[in-house]
Amino acid sequence: GCTQSAPVLMISSDESVYDFLGKNTFFKNLNSQQLAAAAKKFTIKRFKGGERIITQGEVSDSLYCVALGAVDFIAQGEDHKTKKIRTMGRHEFFGEFGLIHRTPRTVSVDAVTDVVLLVLSRAEYERSEGETCMKSLRRWVAATASSIVASGLREIPFLSDVDERQLHLIGRLFKCEVVPAAQEVAREGEKDERFYILSRGQLVLTTRDELGLYVELTRLHPGSTFGELSLIQNSVRTTTVTTLEECVLFSLGDEEFGVFMNMLPALGERLKRSVINRSIANMLANEVDVFKKMGKRKQHLLAEVCTTCRYPPGKTILEEGGMLPRKFFMIHDGLVDVLIGDKVVRTLKKPAYFGEVGLVSNSPHSATVRISDSGPAVLVECSQDDFRQVFLGEPGVLAEISLRVLGTRAPLEDVLKHETARIAFKKHVEKEFAEENIDFWLEVEELESVDRRKVRRSVLGALKIGADIIKKKKDEMLETRAMSIYKKFIAEDSSTQVNLPSELLDRIRKQVEAGDFSFNMFHDAKREIVALMSKDSFSRFQTSKEYAKLLESIGVYAQNPVPSN
């Protein structure tokens, strides 16, 4: 590549590209053959004074060198005001970052005077790898680009402990991407091929629920990372990542990610620990019955806020009568003893949890909780604030807490909202041939939950999905499910008709006949059925052995004695 004859490409009437490069820092030490080969790689572009050379936002595909004249760099802010950044003159290069990272131009470039530019295309640059005649220039381009990346990485809290030398070294590994708004970065169900750090902008993580409706899980802000779980565990993505606005991302491919983890072992361990924490929390969310019924957004949030800790045998976690720590704990491995005074009243194992009552009531711990002497235990834990953020508003979780605290004094609504308790209650009422009341409550509850599932318009816009499409889908679900409920529980010829006042039945029937469907059209009927069951079948269930056994299996803290009959 470096043994070609000298070209005749003129910058001006008395200066060739060959002559010009011979005076340039990156080429002046080359011999004549190497210099001639380097000159052949450039083309020439000429511009009049005041002419726009490059427009901000255009795709970068070339490296430029000012051969004659001067150029101004002009930046336009979000307020559309322009500002001159700097002026470049003869022998200065620009465009090196875009050449490496294929990013859009961050500034516009205008000719101050008549200008002659030497242009090196990306294709020519890539072909020049290994050629002596381009070695110095390529070294400068790589160093400058990595320095720019390093300056961006320096602002990332995740990398705050990395020293300057290491930052410049890893800067060579990272690729910088500028991704426009409303563009998918990673897709659910596919394997991540890259590890990402968000430098600027905002991303949204979404998934689809069991009804096929979109769920916004969380938003990522500058400093956030994603993709490491898939690379470390060789798994597929469980969420889709989409830009809400133009974003700047630094990313590593699979191979570069491995180098990065080896170069910064402490940081690598933090990433691995984060992945382990999320994996364990995800596992528990799918093993604990009450957490299974949480929405996908809350399950995702649970995995994000939890940490995993290993405790030695005999370690006291909570002290009876104490107020600290204010944490929620789930058992991942090992045994945990619960003591009242000095007496072990219960031994817990995976997937049991504890600490929730004090977080909800702000009361002292009612028992001492200690790691069993039989061996160490691994606990997954989260703070009081995180607990409230995750669990408050989750009916199934709150119902279980209520059942554990109130025991036989818990209201029927808590039994109905707790799947295991509801199944036990239904078996009880089957003896009385009244199970249709529970089925009616459940189907109406599920219908009303469809209306509560909402996604912000900004997220739908990013996903390129019209709000009218979501509305149409929900309207179709409404009509189909409402008609099913009506035919099964309200219609005069139904074999499982629920016992409702005639005026309430007439009102619902008129709505159906008029096609006037709404998500809350059965709400008053649901309340009527709950009131009916509370006075009748539920009061008998509360004094049964089946209810006492249910409370014991849930882990009730206080309950009435099991009836002798």
Side-chain angles (χ1 to χ4, degrees):
C2 294
T3 58
Q4 303 171 38
S5 58
V8 184
L9 189 61
M10 303 300 293
I11 291 171
S12 63
S13 58
D14 56 358
E15 186 178 37
S16 68
V17 173
Y18 177 91
D19 295 330
F20 173 81
L21 291 181
K23 304 166 192 171
N24 187 275
T25 302
F26 302 120
F27 303 97
K28 64 183 181 182
N29 294 323
L30 299 179
N31 62 38
S32 59
Q33 288 184 324
Q34 292 167 343
L35 191 60
K40 292 272 292 180
K41 298 184 181 298
F42 290 87
T43 58
I44 284 181
K45 285 190 176 180
R46 302 178 188 275
F47 298 89
K48 296 290 185 182
E51 192 175 350
R52 173 64 46 95
I53 298 170
I54 288 171
T55 300
Q56 185 173 334
E58 288 179 345
V59 177
S60 305
D61 59 1
S62 299
L63 177 70
Y64 298 88
C65 179
V66 181
L68 283 178
V71 297
D72 279 343
F73 288 73
I74 311 293
Q76 185 178 52
E78 292 181 1
D79 58 1
H80 300 293
K81 292 182 179 179
T82 58
K83 179 182 179 181
K84 187 173 88 169
I85 304 300
R86 64 168 298 186
T87 300
M88 274 191 178
R90 187 168 160 86
H91 285 292
E92 291 189 275
F93 283 85
F94 62 91
E96 66 280 359
F97 190 77
L99 186 74
I100 297 291
H101 295 285
R102 301 173 185 265
T103 53
R105 302 290 186 187
T106 56
V107 295
S108 296
V109 181
D110 292 344
V112 179
T113 62
D114 288 354
V115 168
V116 178
L117 298 178
L118 299 189
V119 183
L120 180 68
S121 70
R122 178 180 290 115
E124 193 64 65
Y125 178 83
E126 291 173 349
R127 281 195 294 269
S128 71
E129 185 175 3
E131 296 186 25
T132 304
C133 58
M134 297 292 286
K135 187 175 181 179
S136 292
L137 179 64
R138 288 181 63 91
R139 188 184 296 123
W140 174 82
V141 168
T144 304
S146 66
S147 178
I148 295 171
V149 170
S151 67
L153 294 175
R154 193 178 295 114
E155 305 301 319
I156 305 296
F158 169 69
L159 299 170
S160 59
D161 295 335
V162 180
D163 63 41
E164 201 68 23
R165 184 186 66 83
Q166 290 176 314
L167 209 56
H168 278 82
L169 287 174
I170 65 172
R172 294 175 179 268
L173 300 174
F174 277 90
K175 176 184 177 185
C176 180
E177 302 174 56
V178 179
V179 186
Q183 184 163 315
E184 196 176 89
V185 179
R187 180 175 297 179
E188 182 176 4
E190 295 182 354
K191 187 180 182 304
D192 262 327
E193 301 294 339
R194 304 192 71 79
F195 164 66
Y196 293 91
I197 300 176
L198 177 61
S199 174
R200 191 184 74 217
Q202 190 175 202
L203 298 159
V204 63
L205 271 60
T206 58
T207 186
R208 290 200 187 200
D209 62 17
E210 71 280 4
L211 300 179
L213 296 173
Y214 288 91
V215 179
E216 177 183 342
L217 298 174
T218 190
R219 296 189 178 199
L220 300 183
H221 302 280
S224 301
T225 65
F226 62 98
E228 64 271 25
L229 190 147
S230 183
L231 289 176
I232 290 173
Q233 295 192 329
N234 195 31
S235 58
V236 298
R237 282 205 62 80
T238 57
T239 61
T240 293
V241 184
T242 309
T243 56
L244 286 171
E245 56 188 303
E246 183 181 84
C247 292
V248 176
L249 295 165
F250 296 114
S251 68
L252 295 170
D254 198 350
E255 186 176 336
E256 291 81 10
F257 182 69
V259 175
F260 171 79
M261 297 281 277
N262 290 330
M263 286 177 65
L264 303 171
L267 212 57
E269 282 303 312
R270 275 169 51 195
L271 276 176
K272 288 178 182 177
R273 173 55 55 187
S274 171
V275 166
I276 290 170
N277 286 343
R278 280 184 281 172
S279 298
I280 291 175
N282 272 324
M283 191 189 326
L284 287 173
N286 287 301
E287 288 179 351
V288 181
D289 286 339
V290 71
F291 298 155
K292 287 181 187 176
K293 296 300 178 182
M294 291 197 309
K296 286 197 172 187
R297 179 177 176 276
K298 291 298 183 72
Q299 286 186 340
H300 177 85
L301 186 58
L302 176 65
E304 290 294 317
V305 300
C306 285
T307 57
T308 305
C309 293
R310 182 182 179 87
Y311 292 100
K315 172 71 175 178
T316 297
I317 308 301
L318 301 178
E319 190 80 48
E320 184 178 0
M323 295 295 291
L324 298 175
R326 311 306 285 179
K327 286 185 176 182
F328 174 67
F329 298 89
M330 295 180 285
I331 302 171
H332 173 62
D333 190 32
L335 299 175
V336 174
D337 293 329
V338 180
L339 298 88
I340 302 293
D342 294 327
K343 182 181 178 182
V344 176
V345 296
R346 183 178 301 153
T347 296
L348 306 177
K349 62 181 180 179
K350 178 183 179 180
Y353 61 87
F354 59 91
E356 78 288 353
V357 175
L359 300 187
V360 173
S361 63
N362 279 322
S363 58
H365 301 311
S366 58
T368 294
V369 181
R370 183 182 300 154
I371 305 301
S372 172
D373 291 331
S374 61
V378 177
L379 304 181
V380 177
E381 50 198 68
C382 71
S383 69
Q384 183 172 28
D385 288 343
D386 287 334
F387 174 85
R388 288 174 171 169
Q389 185 182 9
V390 173
F391 294 116
L392 294 191
E394 284 295 326
V397 177
L398 297 181
E400 177 153 313
I401 294 172
S402 175
L403 287 165
R404 295 178 86 171
V405 175
L406 298 177
T408 55
R409 294 175 289 114
L412 173 59
E413 287 89 341
D414 288 333
V415 170
L416 293 173
K417 289 173 182 176
H418 188 282
E419 185 177 35
T420 303
R422 185 174 64 247
I423 292 170
F425 180 43
K426 186 174 180 180
K427 284 183 179 178
H428 175 80
V429 300
E430 282 175 355
K431 306 169 191 173
E432 304 174 2
F433 304 100
E435 63 266 29
E436 69 275 0
N437 289 331
I438 297 175
D439 292 336
F440 174 72
W441 179 91
L442 182 59
E443 293 199 27
V444 173
E445 187 72 13
E446 289 175 347
L447 173 68
E448 292 176 347
S449 75
V450 174
D451 190 40
R452 294 194 291 268
R453 304 180 193 210
K454 302 183 187 298
V455 181
R456 286 180 273 192
R457 286 183 177 271
S458 59
V459 175
L460 291 176
L463 296 172
K464 299 176 182 175
I465 297 166
D468 56 326
I469 294 175
I470 301 297
K471 183 179 184 306
K472 181 181 178 183
K473 186 177 181 68
K474 291 174 79 170
D475 286 346
E476 289 171 353
M477 290 182 186
L478 167 62
E479 185 170 349
T480 301
R481 291 182 175 221
M483 280 302 300
S484 174
I485 292 170
Y486 174 77
K487 289 176 181 178
K488 286 170 70 174
F489 304 107
I490 307 295
E492 293 181 358
D493 60 350
S494 170
S495 61
T496 52
Q497 188 185 81
V498 291
N499 186 12
L500 292 171
S502 57
E503 64 271 15
L504 198 50
L505 287 170
D506 289 341
R507 192 178 79 197
I508 294 172
R509 286 168 182 160
K510 285 178 182 177
Q511 276 187 271
V512 172
E513 289 170 5
D516 182 20
F517 298 102
S518 68
F519 283 104
N520 64 355
M521 63 186 292
F522 301 107
H523 188 72
D524 290 343
K526 183 179 75 169
R527 292 173 60 186
E528 186 73 26
I529 290 299
V530 169
L532 178 66
M533 289 192 291
S534 295
K535 286 185 267 185
D536 191 16
S537 51
F538 182 58
S539 62
R540 289 189 288 277
F541 180 57
Q542 285 176 300
T543 58
S544 68
K545 290 183 179 180
E546 289 83 358
Y547 192 49
K549 290 177 181 177
L550 166 71
L551 294 178
E552 185 177 357
S553 70
I554 290 173
V556 68
Y557 298 119
Q559 60 174 315
N560 294 338
V562 176
S564 58
N565 63 335

